[in-house]
Amino acid sequence: MTARLTAVVAGGGIGGLAAAAALGHAGIAVTVVERAARIADVGSGLMLYQNGVAAADAIDARLGERIRAAGHVVGPDDVRLLMDSAGTVLAREAVGEVGVRLGLPQVPVLRATLQNVLFQEAVDAGAEVRLGTALRGYAQDGGRPSAHLSDGSILESDVLVAADGLNSVVRAAMLGDGPPRYLGYTSVRGRVVGSPLHPQAFVINGQGVQIFVAPADGDTLYWTAKITAPPGEWPAMGQEGALAALLERIAGWHEPVADMIRSASPADLAVTDIHDRDPVPCWVDGRVALLGDAAHPMAPAMGQGANTALEDAYVLARSLRSYDDPGEALIAYQTQRVERTAAIVLHSRRQGAVDQGASRTEAASRDDAMRSSGRKDAATLEVVDWRPDKDVPCSKPVASSGT
Ligand SMILES: Cc1cc2nc3c(=O)[nH]c(=O)nc-3n(C[C@H](O)[C@H](O)[C@H](O)COP(=O)(O)OP(=O)(O)OC[C@H]3O[C@@H](n4cnc5c(N)ncnc54)[C@H](O)[C@@H]3O)c2cc1C
């Protein structure tokens, strides 16, 4: 009888827990180590697009069902309003119709809710999750990786999956490519329950500020404000300071939106600067592989970071099922993921700069583009049309290397 394959997953965020669920369903014995002592119930939400939903369905049909039940399933007639800061509608984006055309819905969901669903799925698939345990580093003598943990223990396994996010310690050891790159804007994210604007999704655009709003489960709306700013300034304000500064920045904007932001609880807010990294062709060292933001951190402009992490998780598990040699399986995973995610990273970087409308001219041309295209970002359509059985790289990789 062949021994059961073992995997350690570093990081219990969206990518790490999705990987744990996918690997568990593939019959692999998984241990997840997550630095945080618990899954925090703060912050806002994120948009699962058709590609993320398809990846979840492919990991396991029950996971797809759980995600739909936990989020807001966008209906066929739903539209997203694209507005200027005065509340004038620039376009009505037919987000529901896209779902009908692609045969899968968008599902906006609260981030902590999604993480809890993935946690449950991972545990149900047999994974052990050790909270409050950080990975300090790894070694790879004689082929099998060993994970060095904050409690002093060392965990050996057949593969080590690094899903430890933007500032991955595994990436630093593997690639040594320095800190991520600040993209010139920060984010303040929150949620409100019972807003009169619920369940309308919308994007409201000003100069140097864009606010994205979507319904989550129940009568919750989540919002993300992206603000052009020097690095570090907004996170240093703390939650209350950032809320006050945001309200000041949008003074005079469409009043219902300002009211919605005002009613957010500061304790729920997440304030983080936005970074990405230049794409790299290599995420694998022997039997160690990067996944999610550790591999391809990207601007949130296309809402693809978590969606592509779900894709990674499915493809990784499929590769490990298909190859006898885990090292070959990791190379196959890398080959299938690098080109597609590189194109999305670069497009997201460019789109993020467009979204900010940092000068008066740039803001006007962004608004004109939305008015004429009827969409926030036309390229998203091709990206969200990924499916597990036709997972080839984007047909039109984006060649640009920056904003
Ligand atoms: C403003 C904003 C809006 C976004 N909106 C969307 C959206 O709508 N749709 C979308 O798809 N994506 C969105 N994203 C991107 C998405 O949040 C990320 O891409 C996604 O969370 C990446 O998941 P991850 O698991 O790779 O990393 P993370 O979610 O960062 O998880 C990493 C985990 O690893 C843990 N960790 C870190 N270091 C260690 C260590 N040494 N040992 C053990 N554990 C460790 C951390 O505690 C964390 O739990 C958005 C991002 C931002 C900033």
Side-chain angles (χ1 to χ4, degrees), residues 333-355:
Y333 154 74
Q334 174 184 273
T335 304
Q336 286 167 69
R337 300 301 300 151
V338 160
E339 192 179 341
R340 171 173 166 78
T341 52
I344 298 173
V345 167
L346 294 177
H347 185 82
S348 298
R349 183 183 289 175
R350 270 210 317 242
Q351 184 63 40
V354 170
D355 286 350

Side-chain angles (χ1 to χ4, degrees), residues 278-283 295-296 298 302 308 311-312 315 331-348 382-383 386 391-400:
D278 285 331
V280 288
C282 175
W283 308 337
H296 45 71
M298 59 183 75
M302 302 177 85
T308 51
E311 293 179 11
D312 289 348
V315 174
I331 293 294
Y333 154 74
Q334 174 184 273
T335 304
Q336 286 167 69
R337 300 301 300 151
V338 160
E339 192 179 341
R340 171 173 166 78
T341 52
I344 298 173
V345 167
L346 294 177
H347 185 82
S348 298
E382 187 188 350
V383 167
W386 176 94
D391 92 50
V392 288
C394 273
S395 58
K396 289 180 214 150
V398 181
S400 148

Side-chain angles (χ1 to χ4, degrees), residues 9-17 33-36 44-49 111 115 133-136 162-170 187-189 212 222 224-226 272-274 291-309:
V9 177
I14 290 161
L17 292 171
V33 292
E34 164 55 46
R35 180 176 62 183
S44 131
L46 50 79
M47 182 64 78
L48 287 185
Y49 284 96
R111 184 176 289 267
Q115 224 178 326
T133 309
L135 180 91
R136 295 278 188 241
D164 51 344
L166 179 68
N167 295 299
S168 165
V169 297
V170 177
S187 69
V188 181
R189 296 174 266 168
F212 181 97
Y222 78 81
T224 299
K226 289 176 284 171
T272 42
D273 281 352
I274 301 297
L291 181 143
D293 276 7
H296 45 71
M298 59 183 75
M302 302 177 85
Q304 281 298 321
N307 285 286
T308 51

Side-chain angles (χ1 to χ4, degrees), residues 21 24-25 56-70 117-126:
H25 282 300
D57 287 345
I59 289 170
D60 193 79
R62 179 183 58 194
L63 176 60
E65 281 164 23
R66 282 175 162 172
I67 287 175
R68 286 171 178 78
V117 164
L118 290 166
F119 179 93
Q120 195 55 55
E121 189 67 34
V123 169
D124 290 349

Side-chain angles (χ1 to χ4, degrees), residues 265-301:
S265 157
D268 271 346
L269 295 190
V271 188
T272 42
D273 281 352
I274 301 297
H275 298 85
D276 73 2
R277 289 180 183 275
D278 285 331
V280 288
C282 175
W283 308 337
V284 170
D285 169 22
R287 292 191 179 194
V288 183
L290 308 180
L291 181 143
D293 276 7
H296 45 71
M298 59 183 75

Side-chain angles (χ1 to χ4, degrees), residues 185-212:
Y185 50 99
T186 194
S187 69
V188 181
R189 296 174 266 168
R191 61 186 176 199
V192 287
V193 176
S195 163
L197 298 176
H198 184 276
Q200 183 59 56
F202 59 94
V203 178
I204 183 158
N205 299 285
Q207 186 185 326
V209 184
Q210 184 184 63
I211 304 178
F212 181 97

